[in-house]
Amino acid sequence: MPAIAVDAMGGEHGPEAVVQGVAAVSRQTDIDCVLVGDEARLQPLLEATAYNPERIAILHASEAIGLQEEPRAAVRYKRNKASLFVCLREVAQGRCAAAVSAGNPGAAIAAALRELTLLPGVGKAALASVYPRAAEGPEQDTLALALDVGATVRCNADELVRFAVMGSTYARVISRVAEPRVALLNMGRDPLQGDETLTAAHRRLRDLPGINFVGNIEGHELTSGRADVVVCEGLLGNIVLKLLESVANMAVDLTSSAAQRTWRWRAGMAIMASGADRLRALADYASYGGAPILGFEQVFIKAHARSQAPAIANTVKVAAKAARDGLIPALRDALAPLADE
Amino acid sequence: MNADPTPLIFRWDLDKTYLLSEFESLREMMRIPFERAEDKVAAPGVAALIRGLRTTALGRGRAVRVYFLSASPPQIGRAIRRKLELDGILHDGIVFKDQLQRLFRGKFRHLREQVGYKLTELLKARQAEPPAAREYLFGDDWESDPLIYSLYADVVAGRVAPATLSELLQAARVDRPLIEEAVHLAAALPHADAVARIYINLERPTPPATLRVYGPRLVPSFNYFQTAACLFAEEALSAAGVGDVARELIEESGFTPIRLANSLDDVVRRGHLPAPMADLLRERLAIAGLLPAPARPRYRRWWRRSAPPAPAAPPAPPVEYRALVGAQEGAAE
């Protein structure tokens, strides 16, 4: 399998975390990686860690896109030399099997739209994200997939249907869920609730063969095990995802600060230490690895911007799995019946 | 071609350098003496490399000697000699550590002591060679090879005086008779900058940057293709010899041309192999199908070759042996 192109300059923890993550992958797996970024910065970082040189190449890119940079400006001024663009071009031109970036999400979507090719019949790409939820049984994954969480602002019903098909295919191929339960995020379970777009999307998904559509899902049900794939338009998805993150962080902060107040709380927290650790792990979105930007002919996995080395390593493994297990042909097959609509 | 009368000497450690010996557990260690030659596994590419070094030197009319120095007991000598024979390795001597003798003398601590033992053996062996003989040393990152080989190189070159050597060996808690012997041997040696390079096989997950303290003479190497490429640049191995190592890695160890190319790029980036030499090697091995065809545009290769040579690197600072011995003893405790 060709290598995975990794944007080494992206993310809050910069090239250090990415290099360490890729170095770990090179030692633990047979995945080949191309680190794309400033060679003069990457090489000393690589040498300072244990790695397998057979599985790592460095492709120099002289510029990087910061997390706070305006995506349109990045596309305009850094298109030729920024690591993110160079990384995606490696995939677009077939030299690499998949791309990974922990960088600026807006720039990642803009760069993908510029460098990659949309799948037949797909008008808009969707940024997916995994989030923790309470599994209904031991066989159910503790992570669910939500899309779109920010690649679009508004969508029409056709686009939501395509997001559902893509999310369902991803869950089937990557998370190995035989029949992923797909739900539409709405303000109530009633199929007639919401605006015209949501009611039309509900109607079409209900009648669509090959999709295990379980109907509408409300905000308070997101963290239940009712759906494996939650579909919504980007504006809503982005707000929901960030709200989930902030609530989880707040729960962790409250528990920690409460434990500092009195000795009784401290003792209680000591007893509940493993539970608190589990809560912390659940709230640590950066440890989940990446989620795909779906809709392209190429695999592009976006890691959380706060990803540390283990999360980067997980993201690279997900990208390799997606390439190896034929995510793109599966998406093409699943979307084919919708191509003429 | 005028034959160079001074020999090239290649000194090899055995376990973890030539052989993929497993001694991470006591059980594995106990099994080693009972292994047959057929059970022993050589590191990928190492046999082709040693054969290539001898062929290259002889082809250029240069005398060549290959020695092995092992901390294993002489009781395994028969299996080792048979293994080398099976691998087609001609050698000029193997030295083993007589563990039983130390055991009888009650020197239990010195069973695992390497610095004094190996350094003394290296200095003894050096006495037998002409002062101008050039040496290449091969070890691994498991025990103290980087320290021992560097110290040996600097003692032979006269950069570490016998009195300093004595202090260092005391700090390394070497047996007193061995210190006296090493100091005596060091004092009797004619000074010559004899050690060209030290190659350390990175068998453990050692970050190569941690070995920079030993200076540019020491090359941490992840596989024997990297070592072969550096020896090509040193003119100790022909391109065909490097090709044989590459072929052995592809045919027997699952390497691919891309993975070999990545290894080559890595050793260039780490500064141990000049880029023009790597380009030359890339072209020759690509013709043989052992590396992917160079992707770089032709003008750039031409530019690299015709560009003025890079300014000579400033002389490397002396190795801080006191700190290194202190760190090693600290880690041992």
Side-chain angles (χ1 to χ4, degrees), chain B residues 20-187:
Chain B
L20 290 180
S21 316
E22 300 288 341
F23 45 67
E24 283 82 344
S25 68
L26 186 64
R27 195 174 164 184
E28 286 166 345
M29 205 187 274
M30 297 297 282
R31 207 170 47 204
I32 289 175
F34 304 102
E35 277 179 352
R36 295 172 309 150
E38 290 78 4
D39 301 330
K40 294 190 180 293
V41 181
V46 69
L49 174 60
I50 300 179
R51 288 193 301 264
L53 289 169
R54 186 180 282 279
T55 310
T56 304
L58 293 177
R60 292 172 184 169
R62 187 122 194 218
V64 60
R65 281 165 211 168
V66 175
Y67 298 107
F68 289 92
L69 174 56
S70 170
S72 297
Q75 287 74 17
I76 67 163
R78 202 166 143 188
I80 295 291
R81 285 187 183 88
R82 174 79 186 126
K83 171 65 183 163
L84 293 173
E85 197 181 307
L86 287 174
D87 291 345
I89 303 296
L90 297 174
H91 60 89
D92 302 272
I94 311 180
V95 176
F96 293 101
K97 186 176 181 182
D98 198 344
Q99 308 273 27
L100 274 181
Q101 197 196 30
R102 281 171 170 80
L103 209 58
F104 290 144
R105 281 164 48 202
K107 304 277 183 188
F108 298 107
R109 200 179 69 76
H110 298 118
L111 286 178
R112 286 187 61 79
E113 197 279 315
Q114 301 277 353
V115 179
Y117 157 70
K118 276 198 168 178
L119 184 66
T120 314
E121 291 301 334
L122 286 167
L123 290 170
K124 258 193 256 177
R126 182 71 197 170
Q127 305 275 347
E129 307 297 344
R134 294 283 280 168
E135 297 198 18
Y136 291 88
L137 310 177
F138 302 84
D140 59 73
D141 56 347
W142 268 81
E143 302 277 357
S144 313
D145 287 347
L147 176 68
I148 298 164
Y149 286 167
S150 298
L151 194 52
Y152 166 69
D154 283 336
V155 167
V156 173
R159 284 187 286 266
V160 171
T164 313
L165 177 64
S166 174
E167 272 174 44
L168 291 170
L169 295 182
Q170 280 175 55
R173 300 172 69 202
V174 173
D175 200 8
R176 180 144 290 281
L178 270 182
I179 296 178
E180 285 165 9
E181 191 180 358
V183 170
H184 173 74
L185 289 164

Side-chain angles (χ1 to χ4, degrees), chain B residues 278-298:
Chain B
D279 285 346
L280 195 61
L281 203 51
R282 232 175 250 125
E283 275 175 24
R284 299 219 185 146
L285 297 188
I287 292 166
L290 297 166
L291 285 182
R296 223 173 259 127
R298 269 171 178 274

Side-chain angles (χ1 to χ4, degrees), chain A residues 139-204:
Chain A
E139 73 288 345
Q140 196 175 32
D141 198 334
T142 53
L143 298 175
L145 188 77
L147 77 168
D148 170 39
V149 296
T152 61
V153 178
R154 299 282 179 200
C155 298
N156 60 34
D158 285 351
E159 283 152 0
L160 287 176
V161 169
R162 282 173 175 77
F163 291 175
V165 171
M166 293 194 295
S168 170
T169 307
Y170 184 83
R172 193 162 40 77
V173 175
I174 301 302
S175 307
R176 299 253 181 249
V177 184
E179 282 186 48
R181 286 182 278 187
V182 180
L184 198 56
L185 185 58
N186 203 334
M187 55 199 279
R189 285 204 185 189
D190 185 347
L192 297 175
Q193 274 184 304
D195 60 5
E196 203 176 310
T197 302
L198 286 170
T199 50
H202 188 289
R203 208 169 38 246
R204 292 205 45 206

Side-chain angles (χ1 to χ4, degrees), chain A residues 84-134:
Chain A
L84 174 64
F85 283 91
V86 176
C87 186
L88 290 177
R89 274 200 289 272
E90 285 299 294
V91 183
Q93 290 168 14
R95 287 188 292 271
C96 286
V100 164
S101 176
N104 183 323
I109 292 156
L113 286 168
R114 180 65 84 140
E115 302 293 341
L116 307 181
T117 316
L118 285 166
L119 283 160
V122 173
K124 281 181 180 168
L127 174 62
S129 177
V130 287
Y131 68 91
R133 52 91 184 262

Side-chain angles (χ1 to χ4, degrees), chain A residues 271-304:
Chain A
I271 294 166
M272 290 174 61
S274 65
D277 284 347
R278 191 166 140 60
L279 183 63
R280 211 165 284 130
L282 274 176
D284 184 11
Y285 276 72
S287 69
Y288 294 145
I293 300 183
L294 292 169
F296 294 107
E297 289 273 9
Q298 297 84 10
V299 177
F300 182 17
I301 310 288
K302 176 76 186 63
H304 197 288

